Amino acid sequence: MTRRSLGFLLVSLLLALPTLGQAGDLSAIFTSDARIAVPYYTWNVRLQWNGEQPARDVVLELNVPGTITQVHARGEGMTCTDTNPVRCTMPFVTRDDIWASAGVSVRLEEPGTYEATATVSTSTPEGPASNNSVRYSIVQTGLPDMWGSLISEDETMEPGGEGSFRLGITNSGGHATNIVVRAKIEDGGEILRAVPTNWGFGEPTATCTIAGGEVTCRIPEMDAIHDFELVRLHYRAPDRREGGRVVATASVESDREDFDPDNNAFRAEVALRRLFVVDSTEDEGTGTLRQAILEAGAACDETPCTIGFRGGVQLVQPRTPLPHLRGAVRVSGGREARVVLDGSLLSEGHGLVFDGGCHLDVRNLEIRNFPGHGIEARQDAAFYQCYDAGGYGLYVRNSWLANNERGIVAKAIDVSLRENVIVDHRRAGIFIDGSYYSEVFNNVVVNNGATGIFVNTADEPQFGGIPPGADLVENIVHGNGEWGIVRTRNRGLVQMRRNSMIRNGLRGWDIGLDLIAPNRDNDISGIPNKPNITHATYDPATDTTTIHGTSWWGASVDLYASTSLSRHGHPEAERWLGATHVFSNEKIELTVPGDLRGQWITGTITRGVTLYFLRDEAKPAGEVYRPPAGYETSELSDPVQVF
């Protein structure tokens, strides 16, 4: 190597080495946006040090435009002043310290271009100081920033069915005027109504018109920064029997340039069920209920389907038992008059049998005169296998079940029975056996040969230790041969409230099928003790009846009146009078209007049990899920007659 080459190498090495005594290099970096729509803004600066040893005694000075509203010191040991210029100090900054940063929030009153400066220093020797001070400019445009969202209010939709989307419009920028929103349902759908409603956000200002199945809503103005308008869109889904998706699209604009036009158009979709049509009253063959069940069983394991009645079909009478339903199937008896499924031509067999799969959903159907049960659901699928199918369990809505062996027998994971009439069965009206969670709400259950509503929850907790349960609320349970409502003593949390129970053979409500259970010395856990109703008197001066009693403190007590006891002398609960909360004096006192002399008063205690460990990911999918708190209701108290 020549002397000249050696000299060149030495110079290169010297240039590559830090200056004598230099330990690293400290710099400041703005991490802010360059363009904003609103007057509120935060200048963010991050410190960066590349030395092996920490930089000591670090000082950051920020000189920012605007009125300071808040200062954020994020680095370890960082402290900052709250006046401009903002001065922040840190004892040290290490290499790759991602937390060494500060932010200054300001209000920029007027649109325009604003510049901030940041200067850093350290007592540790460092490299060139040219990067110790930086400038950064932003533009406050003052422009509106319109965007929106569409949210389906339906789990799934039937072809040609009616549903709704929530259409939300937000302005995240400057003042906007003359806002126009347009929305439609793609591929043959039609918007029927558009109802502005802000749900507690103030009076709606939108006005909407519909033409050609599409909606145009106009909003005169929207203030700056997160002003909000909401419109509920009622629509008819495309009548596509093959199913697929219902797609809603919308757009928003105003008479000013928009800050971010890329979010002015938006969309949402919901699953459209595949439809198997029953348009024949024959027992078998094309278009029959039997054929629809067979076809759905092969096609609906994961995709939700509907068996629907068209062509004026009002009565189906099978001559042999129908095939079992599987998968994720809804049987819909029509939008107006119920279709009747009649089993009077059979010598054996149930009405609809759901045997495994994800969910059976029965709506607006009459099921009568079967030798077996009207509906029987036996489920073996795990809940996590049913997310794509839209949930799991047995759902029965707005249906009529009469004169079968039992009305509904449910051994499904979840059970939801709402607004049904269940009458004149030879045995129980509703028989729930082993379900994890059940809701039985607002049903009429009368004149069944055995119990009106029988509930035996699953005994073992599921989903990571969450106990099973049931909510039995606001049902009419009259004239049943045995109990009105009865539950077993499994470990489930069962709530029974505001039901009407009268003229049942045994007790209106019983726990454990043992008729009478004495209170325990300690009921801090498990089923609560029943309250003690001591006396009830009528006051003619005020035309009121006052009920007195005792209970443990903190309890919620429901009180009921009945015109008579059961035929075996047990309490019932014909009419809910009201609820009262028992405080530390442990006294029950409730005054109700009217003369109740001669009637029998009884009551229950309902105790809440919060399930703190219920995580969102543990909740089952679909319409029914175990709520985050369970409730347990005591037996009916001993009856007291009003004098």
Side-chain angles (χ1 to χ4, degrees):
M1 178 180 293
T2 64
R3 181 176 299 178
R4 181 176 179 180
S5 299
L6 180 61
F8 180 78
L9 177 61
L10 290 173
V11 170
S12 301
L13 290 172
L14 288 172
L15 290 175
L17 291 173
T19 306
L20 183 64
Q22 172 186 331
D25 185 27
L26 182 66
S27 59
I29 302 170
F30 276 98
T31 59
S32 304
D33 300 318
R35 190 170 177 266
I36 60 173
V38 295
Y40 295 104
Y41 185 69
T42 299
W43 303 91
N44 290 301
V45 174
R46 182 168 63 87
L47 302 177
Q48 185 170 300
W49 170 254
N50 66 0
E52 292 291 338
Q53 299 300 318
R56 303 288 179 179
D57 306 318
V58 176
V59 177
L60 167 65
E61 187 173 281
L62 275 167
N63 197 324
V64 299
T67 302
I68 295 177
T69 59
Q70 191 173 3
V71 176
H72 316 271
R74 304 189 183 98
E76 183 178 351
M78 178 183 283
T79 60
C80 298
T81 63
D82 57 4
T83 57
N84 204 12
V86 175
R87 180 181 174 85
C88 301
T89 60
M90 286 184 69
F92 60 88
V93 174
T94 61
R95 186 172 67 181
D96 301 325
D97 186 346
I98 63 173
W99 302 109
S101 62
V104 180
S105 297
V106 300
R107 180 178 177 88
L108 306 172
E109 299 291 346
E110 301 292 337
T113 301
Y114 296 88
E115 184 180 79
T117 61
T119 302
V120 292
S121 63
T122 174
S123 63
T124 302
E126 61 160 333
S130 58
N131 59 358
N132 286 31
S133 183
V134 291
R135 297 176 179 273
Y136 194 80
S137 294
I138 66 164
V139 177
Q140 201 275 80
T141 65
L143 294 174
D145 186 10
M146 308 299 303
W147 57 279
S149 62
L150 281 164
I151 300 175
S152 174
E153 296 189 314
D154 305 283
E155 291 273 341
T156 59
M157 279 302 302
E158 294 185 20
E162 294 185 10
S164 59
F165 283 98
R166 294 199 304 269
L167 168 63
I169 300 297
T170 302
N171 178 21
S172 297
H175 188 79
T177 55
N178 298 324
I179 299 102
V180 178
V181 185
R182 296 181 176 87
K184 62 181 179 179
I185 307 298
E186 303 285 351
D187 300 327
E190 179 185 13
I191 293 178
L192 305 175
R193 299 183 305 281
V195 182
T197 171
N198 270 4
W199 291 355
F201 294 97
E203 291 297 321
T205 62
T207 57
C208 300
T209 58
I210 299 174
E214 300 181 7
V215 64
T216 300
C217 296
R218 300 184 184 276
I219 305 168
E221 61 179 349
M222 295 183 74
D223 289 336
I225 312 170
H226 301 299
D227 200 1
F228 180 77
E229 288 278 339
L230 184 66
V231 178
R232 180 184 274 114
L233 303 178
H234 299 268
Y235 70 94
R236 180 175 292 113
D239 195 9
R240 295 197 307 269
R241 296 186 180 185
E242 68 274 16
R245 313 293 293 179
V246 178
V247 179
T249 59
S251 64
V252 59
E253 61 184 15
S254 71
D255 61 2
R256 298 186 62 196
E257 177 189 353
D258 197 83
F259 176 75
D260 182 9
D262 289 343
N263 62 10
N264 291 159
F266 43 98
R267 57 178 280 152
E269 58 183 46
V270 62
L272 182 66
R273 290 172 169 269
R274 183 174 178 181
L275 178 63
F276 295 90
V277 172
V278 179
D279 54 11
S280 171
T281 59
E282 297 297 322
D283 184 50
E284 59 183 15
T286 303
T288 63
L289 176 59
R290 186 180 305 277
Q291 186 64 30
I293 293 174
L294 291 172
E295 293 177 1
C300 303
D301 281 342
E302 297 181 357
T303 302
C305 301
T306 291
I307 296 174
F309 296 81
R310 302 281 177 91
V313 172
Q314 292 298 312
L315 176 66
V316 175
Q317 292 182 295
R319 298 181 181 277
T320 58
L322 292 168
H324 291 182
L325 292 140
R326 290 191 58 85
V329 182
R330 173 181 294 167
V331 183
S332 178
R335 301 171 190 167
E336 297 177 358
R338 292 185 183 91
V339 171
V340 177
L341 180 57
D342 184 275
S344 58
L345 301 182
L346 296 174
S347 59
E348 62 177 1
H350 307 302
L352 296 177
V353 178
F354 179 62
D355 190 6
C358 285
H359 67 85
L360 172 64
D361 185 342
V362 178
R363 302 193 179 197
N364 209 31
L365 194 68
E366 183 173 339
I367 304 175
R368 68 190 187 194
N369 300 330
F370 278 87
H373 312 314
I375 297 173
E376 179 169 331
R378 303 188 294 263
Q379 189 171 27
D380 55 14
F383 78 96
Y384 55 81
Q385 296 174 335
C386 299
Y387 281 128
D388 292 338
Y392 56 87
L394 171 67
Y395 316 136
V396 184
R397 300 281 191 276
N398 193 34
S399 292
W400 189 294
L401 293 100
N403 197 33
N404 306 290
E405 180 73 1
R406 291 187 177 109
I408 297 173
V409 174
K411 300 181 180 181
I413 298 174
D414 271 358
V415 178
S416 176
L417 311 177
R418 286 177 171 260
E419 300 175 349
N420 304 288
V421 176
I422 302 170
V423 298
D424 298 330
H425 294 93
R426 296 179 289 282
R427 299 178 69 183
I430 297 172
F431 191 89
I432 298 173
D433 185 16
S435 295
Y436 168 64
Y437 176 66
S438 303
E439 59 174 20
V440 183
F441 176 73
N442 200 22
N443 301 277
V444 176
V445 187
V446 301
N447 297 337
N448 297 287
T451 296
I453 303 173
F454 176 95
V455 178
N456 177 43
T457 68
D459 195 34
E460 295 298 326
Q462 300 181 38
F463 309 115
I466 303 168
D471 291 318
L472 318 172
V473 181
E474 296 185 6
N475 301 283
I476 296 173
V477 188
H478 293 179
N480 298 287
E482 296 178 353
W483 290 276
I485 305 176
V486 66
R487 62 157 295 191
T488 62
R489 289 188 176 272
N490 280 2
R491 288 188 289 172
L493 307 177
V494 178
Q495 174 182 210
M496 190 287 300
R497 305 191 73 176
R498 302 191 301 275
N499 298 282
S500 173
M501 300 170 288
I502 193 69
R503 296 189 302 278
N504 298 291
L506 299 174
R507 294 171 70 93
W509 161 242
D510 186 59
I511 299 173
L513 293 86
D514 53 5
L515 294 180
I516 298 175
N519 283 346
R520 296 170 291 152
D521 292 337
N522 184 353
D523 69 340
I524 193 65
S525 62
I527 298 168
N529 284 337
K530 53 195 173 188
N532 179 29
I533 309 301
T534 56
H535 61 285
T537 56
Y538 172 66
D539 182 358
T542 59
D543 190 30
T544 58
T545 299
T546 301
I547 302 163
H548 300 272
T550 59
S551 175
W552 59 280
W553 71 273
S556 179
V557 179
D558 287 287
L559 295 170
Y560 301 85
S562 301
T563 55
S564 65
L565 301 177
S566 76
R567 61 175 176 263
H568 293 284
H570 297 297
E572 298 208 274
E574 181 178 6
R575 181 164 59 92
W576 181 71
L577 298 176
T580 183
H581 198 79
V582 178
F583 295 98
S584 57
N585 60 11
E586 300 183 352
K587 291 183 178 180
I588 298 171
E589 184 172 316
L590 180 69
T591 299
V592 297
D595 183 356
L596 302 185
R597 283 178 295 184
Q599 297 192 35
W600 296 89
I601 305 299
T602 186
T604 61
I605 287 175
T606 296
R607 177 169 56 202
V609 180
T610 302
L611 309 178
Y612 292 104
F613 43 82
L614 179 61
R615 304 181 304 275
D616 286 341
E617 60 266 29
K619 293 180 181 179
E623 296 183 31
V624 182
Y625 63 90
R626 190 72 175 98
Y631 298 90
E632 288 190 293
T633 299
S634 73
E635 289 193 336
L636 293 168
S637 67
D638 294 337
V640 170
Q641 198 165 27
V642 181
F643 292 100

